[in-house]
Amino acid sequence: MEQAFVERAEEQLIESCMESKGFRYWPARVDSAEERQGGGYVQHDVAWARKYGYEREFDVQAERARRADRNTAYARALTQPELVRYNTALDGSPDDGLMSVDLPGGGTVRTTTGGCRATVADRLYGDFPAWFRAQKIARNLSAVYVPVLVQDTRFKRAVGAWARCMNKAGHPYDTPLAIRAALPRLTRDTGRAAARALEVELAVAEATCARSTPLFRTARSLDREYRREKLAPYRADITSYRRMNLTALAHAKAVMGPRSHRPARPLSSPEENHKKGTYP
């Protein structure tokens, strides 16, 4: 996936930047293309569900990587003055300048404009402040329209049809979210193999019913409809996000080499670039 390719280049550039400042840095783990295909309101890809279930194995892998993170161990071994310099080199300080972005669904995010992360983003995307704004807005647009979408009568009807399908399959859940809420309880006292089998069984049933009832088609259609209706105020940010992603991809190819990139099908929305799924 193109976004993962860019992120790998970003991590390599951060490593070089930190080394230039006298510190070690190990490129962080980047989510695979498979991990980015999960998420969303309803699972609709039966083959993917059969292979990955509800992504719990991905969570295990991510936690394992977090615990083994060499950057954390390295930072802990630094003296306090060295740690301050390390954090400033990596993430900047308020003295470098601060910027903030108001999120579409409420709340504000802030960042410094210095340090290796910002320097590398500026190199890849062409304008770090503009990228930070466009990214934070484009990846948080569901809050603008999903609350309205899920109250749409057409959506509620489709969920009802899905629930009847699930009930016939022996899985009496009213919504896809109800399955996710129940999973920890259902798998708490089972072994890993049994938990995995149950997870896959439920995920496959969810995806099968999403495809055999109107739910997937209705959710996709309503998603497009409400995006057109609700996201007009954010068109400039969405356009900037897409344009800077293409800029970063070109720069990443120069960093990583063109042969290291496999072309991927362009994704249809900013949120899909971040995490593919059927919303809401």
Side-chain angles (χ1 to χ4, degrees), residues 160-264:
W162 174 90
R164 289 190 294 275
C165 175
M166 289 293 288
N167 189 60
K168 289 179 181 178
H171 306 295
Y173 294 97
D174 292 336
T175 68
L177 293 178
I179 300 177
R180 291 155 177 75
L183 267 176
R185 173 180 54 81
L186 294 173
T187 58
R188 184 179 301 127
D189 299 321
T190 63
R192 184 172 179 177
R196 164 73 177 165
L198 177 58
E199 177 187 346
V200 169
E201 179 184 350
L202 288 170
V204 168
E206 176 182 331
T208 300
C209 284
R211 288 285 186 175
S212 64
T213 69
L215 181 55
F216 170 65
R217 297 187 302 277
T218 300
R220 182 174 57 180
S221 174
L222 291 175
D223 189 80
R224 292 169 178 167
E225 177 182 324
Y226 279 102
R227 279 180 177 276
R228 286 193 301 270
E229 178 183 331
K230 301 291 186 182
L231 300 189
Y234 305 100
R235 293 301 176 200
D237 293 300
I238 294 170
T239 299
S240 295
Y241 178 84
R242 289 171 171 161
R243 173 178 51 78
M244 285 188 282
N245 262 316
L246 292 174
T247 298
L249 179 60
H251 290 164
K253 288 178 181 178
V255 172
M256 305 282 281
R259 292 186 179 182
S260 62
H261 173 246
R262 289 189 306 170

Side-chain angles (χ1 to χ4, degrees), residues 44-170:
H44 61 273
D45 186 328
V46 176
W48 193 95
R50 185 171 288 113
K51 188 172 183 179
Y52 299 111
Y54 286 108
E55 310 170 65
R56 287 157 63 91
E57 188 59 36
F58 294 149
D59 294 338
V60 171
Q61 293 173 12
E63 177 61 19
R64 190 180 298 130
R66 186 189 67 79
R67 291 179 179 178
D69 182 26
R70 299 176 73 181
N71 294 311
T72 300
Y74 177 77
R76 285 175 178 168
L78 297 175
T79 65
Q80 186 59 33
E82 288 174 332
L83 181 60
V84 171
R85 288 199 309 111
Y86 172 86
N87 287 332
T88 300
L90 184 60
D91 294 313
S93 75
D95 293 339
D96 297 318
L98 293 169
M99 67 169 294
S100 62
V101 177
D102 294 329
L103 299 178
T108 301
V109 290
R110 297 176 177 84
T111 189
T112 63
T113 55
C116 283
R117 293 193 198 279
T119 299
V120 166
D122 195 75
R123 174 177 171 181
L124 282 174
Y125 295 97
D127 184 334
F128 172 68
W131 164 248
F132 183 78
R133 172 185 167 79
Q135 176 201 48
K136 293 303 179 184
I137 289 177
R139 291 183 177 180
N140 289 279
L141 291 172
S142 60
V144 175
Y145 68 95
V146 168
V148 182
L149 190 159
V150 296
Q151 295 304 316
D152 190 293
T153 302
R154 292 167 292 177
F155 180 75
K156 290 183 176 181
R157 264 198 314 266
V159 172
W162 174 90
R164 289 190 294 275
C165 175
M166 289 293 288
N167 189 60
K168 289 179 181 178

